[in-house]
Amino acid sequence: MQLLKDRIVKDGIVKEGNVLRVDSFLNHCMDIELFQEIGKEFRRIYEGEEITKILTIEASGIGIACIVAQYFHVPVVFAKKNRSSNLPDHVYTSQVQSFTHGTTSCIVVSKDFLKPDDRVLIIDDFLANGCALEGLAEIIQESGATLVGAGIVIEKAYQRGGQALRAKGIRVESLARIQEMSPEKGVVFA
Ligand code: 5GP
């Protein structure tokens, strides 16, 4: 998606430690008009697919998923990161290692909001090692719902996540795929 790539080049900041900061339009200050274009693009990509729910993970996926959902006319469910040791009842759970923080958290989704007849599209901001997506896919599997695919805004294609998930047969569609990046070179797209 050229509009998104241009924006990454213009406003993205590549930090040491393999982190692309996109706080000025995606992760902190949110450009809703750009999100709308992202929503239209995912709608186009998943045209013809029956989707009944969008699933994302807190926190940075929520804003994007909400705008995207307006083009699918379905509810958004977000997995909560459970910080306490005692889990609430009646939930699906999975363990997710955070790429940016290096910590592991338990993510939870209430059994009330994912049912076996749901057809789910996962939406997230980044795909790196794939831990977040794998955790969400595990929860969908636990619930008996169908995973239709994933819509990722930025995929760091040189990390293992995309390849591993696609090898499992999961449809992963990314709007911008980064081949390499460094503070010196900036971002190179695949
Ligand atoms: P994964 O689980 O695929 O390793 O990482 C995905 C999650 O880590 C995303 O939800 C995103 O929040 C965060 N993340 C991974 N790489 C980056 C990055 O380069 N920049 C930012 N801002 N977040 C990232």
Side-chain angles (χ1 to χ4, degrees), residues 18-22 27 57 60 97 99-100 124-133 156 181:
N18 186 26
V19 171
L20 174 65
R21 298 295 294 263
V22 285
N27 280 160
I57 182 167
S60 51
Q97 206 189 341
F99 177 83
T100 34
D124 206 3
D125 58 345
F126 274 91
L127 173 58
N129 289 326
C131 300
L133 235 79
K156 292 192 285 180
M181 66 180 199

Side-chain angles (χ1 to χ4, degrees), residues 1-106:
M1 183 182 172
Q2 199 55 47
L3 183 72
L4 174 66
K5 289 182 185 172
D6 291 346
R7 191 62 179 272
I8 293 169
V9 168
K10 182 169 161 274
D11 293 331
I13 301 166
V14 184
K15 295 293 214 188
E16 292 293 348
N18 186 26
V19 171
L20 174 65
R21 298 295 294 263
V22 285
D23 286 3
S24 64
F25 60 98
L26 199 75
N27 280 160
H28 193 20
C29 178
M30 299 186 283
D31 181 340
I32 300 304
E33 284 179 8
L34 176 66
F35 284 21
Q36 286 170 331
E37 294 308 315
I38 288 170
K40 286 179 204 166
E41 186 64 5
F42 283 136
R43 176 71 272 189
R44 192 189 63 73
I45 290 169
Y46 280 99
E47 194 63 67
E49 290 285 359
E50 190 200 346
I51 285 157
T52 64
K53 292 240 167 79
I54 285 179
L55 180 66
T56 189
I57 182 167
E58 71 174 355
S60 51
I62 298 175
I64 301 161
C66 288
I67 302 295
V68 171
Q70 292 186 304
Y71 296 90
F72 287 85
H73 306 285
V74 296
V76 174
V77 178
F78 67 89
K80 296 187 175 197
K81 287 177 182 157
N82 197 70
R83 287 164 193 95
S84 69
S85 54
N86 58 334
L87 276 177
D89 295 333
H90 201 60
V91 289
Y92 300 116
T93 65
S94 180
Q95 299 293 322
V96 168
Q97 206 189 341
S98 160
F99 177 83
T100 34
H101 301 111
T103 52
T104 298
S105 51
C106 177

